[in-house]
Amino acid sequence: MSTIERAEVFVASPGRNFVTLRITTSDGVTGLGDATLNGRELAVAAYLREHVVPLLVGRDPARIEDTWQYFYRGAYWRRGPVTMTAIAAVDTALWDIKGKVAGLPVYQLLGGRSRDAVMVYAHASGTDVPSLLDDVARFRDLGYRAVRAQAAVPDVGGTYGVRKGSVYEPAASALPDEQPWSTEAYLDFAPTYLEAVRDRFGFDFHLLHDVHHRLTPIEAARFGKRVEDCRLFWMEDPTPAEDQEAFRLIRQHTTTPIAVGEALTSIWDVQRLITEQLIDYVRTTVVHAGGITHLRRIFDLAALHQVRTGSHGATDLSPVTLAAAVHLDVAVPNFGIQEYMEHAPETMEVFRSGVRFADGALQPSEAPGLGVEYDEKAAERFPYEGRYLPVARRLDGSVHDW
Ligand code: KDG
Ligand code: MG
């Protein structure tokens, strides 16, 4: 019987910080898992190195479900981003190995294709409305059929989602950047630029917007109602989701579809949102919600309640997560859309991925497993650098949700 011989944790910063797990079997087959938790990378690396790797060695790599249960139930302490990211890395690496052993791409192990390609959305942003419109035009020209629009709120400054260089990177400083926030200014301004996008480009593409947890339920209800004529594909994270019941209030007031879940880590965190149809899209991901095994379970629950998928795919999720996401997306019946931001060139020097973009959609690799290789030598040129996500403060100085 093949056993797990080795599991190594790599921490490197090719363009940004990534934590990667590589499992090697006694037959010499390797599998990769992403273990990146933005701003808390070393906590997951230590969890894996100190508490998971010693228990992995000697196990049967074919027993993916059993390994998942062993690390979830066996830890006694449940859920939470550090634990679930560590379990996800192990789970993803084992699916990669299973695919390579079977000689099949992972999506074939998940039941094969349900669709021809995976529609993605791009991130358009601007420091003002004209630059946002230029950015939307650029993505339309590149063939994207869905675009998310974010613009800086005038006179307030730091706003979620506005790109500075060619790659959007919010975790940019050695200490958290403190950014000002005004709900009043945002509520006045954001609907106007969404309308400007529709006025200029019409309705033959999907338009999305990320509120990034910044509103209370009644404010979110007002926002959703106000932008109904823009026919958004979704408004994302309108209010923090620790309180799942909060979404009922938003729902009572608006038909603007709602997407939630990028910061949630388990099926229990989205159970009510899904079963009571309080959302339309679930944004949980392979890397933060327990790997392919657990995400499939969430997506199946969602399918029962007509909730579609819309997995998080910002650049702080490594190309290993993107590859795994595309295998799942192409297979599940209730796929909605996949978030996609191109990684920095340095990232792609370290992660060689077979995922391909064409006509506003992604294709999974046809190579056995996930179809991603990790170049350990190249990674050595990019040592880890501690970076934090920003913190938002209201104009009176109090901390707000970022
Ligand atoms: O690490 C946090 C980012 O991934 C997140 O802020 C990006 O909200 C985000 C999105 O929708 O991509
Ligand atoms: Mg988001």
Side-chain angles (χ1 to χ4, degrees), residues 38 148 160 210 212 236 262 283 312 314 316 339 389 402:
N38 202 354
R148 182 186 99 158
Y160 166 74
D210 191 349
H212 220 251
E236 178 181 331
E262 67 178 46
R283 279 182 48 73
H312 187 203
D316 54 297
E339 181 177 13
L389 287 167
W402 177 70

Side-chain angles (χ1 to χ4, degrees), residues 96-110:
D96 194 15
I97 289 170
K98 195 176 276 297
K100 287 181 181 172
V101 170
L104 292 170
V106 165
Y107 77 82
Q108 293 289 11
L109 306 180
L110 298 170

Side-chain angles (χ1 to χ4, degrees), residues 72-141:
Y72 184 80
R73 296 182 191 216
Y76 182 64
W77 309 107
R78 295 183 178 225
R79 304 194 272 171
V82 175
T83 300
M84 295 305 275
T85 302
I87 294 175
V90 172
D91 183 82
T92 309
L94 294 182
W95 278 99
D96 194 15
I97 289 170
K98 195 176 276 297
K100 287 181 181 172
V101 170
L104 292 170
V106 165
Y107 77 82
Q108 293 289 11
L109 306 180
L110 298 170
R113 279 179 189 268
S114 287
R115 58 192 47 77
D116 300 332
V118 167
M119 180 174 68
V120 295
Y121 70 90
H123 281 214
S125 70
T127 48
D128 53 23
V129 179
S131 59
L132 169 65
L133 296 179
D134 288 348
D135 215 30
V136 173
R138 188 170 69 85
F139 284 115
R140 298 279 290 129
D141 291 346

Side-chain angles (χ1 to χ4, degrees), residues 2 39-40 92 105 108 131 134 151 161 215 218 246 313 318 340 365 374 388 393 396 400-401:
S2 166
R40 296 292 185 272
T92 309
Q108 293 289 11
S131 59
D134 288 348
L215 300 177
I218 199 68
S318 93
Y340 174 55
S365 164
Y374 187 75
Y388 285 98
R393 284 191 189 274
D396 71 355
H400 195 62
D401 297 286

Side-chain angles (χ1 to χ4, degrees), residues 215 219-229 235 250 253-256:
L215 300 177
E219 289 163 354
R222 175 179 143 201
F223 178 81
K225 204 167 160 180
R226 167 78 169 76
V227 298
E228 269 170 17
D229 288 345
M235 68 169 166
I250 305 174
H253 294 280
T254 179
T255 56
T256 295

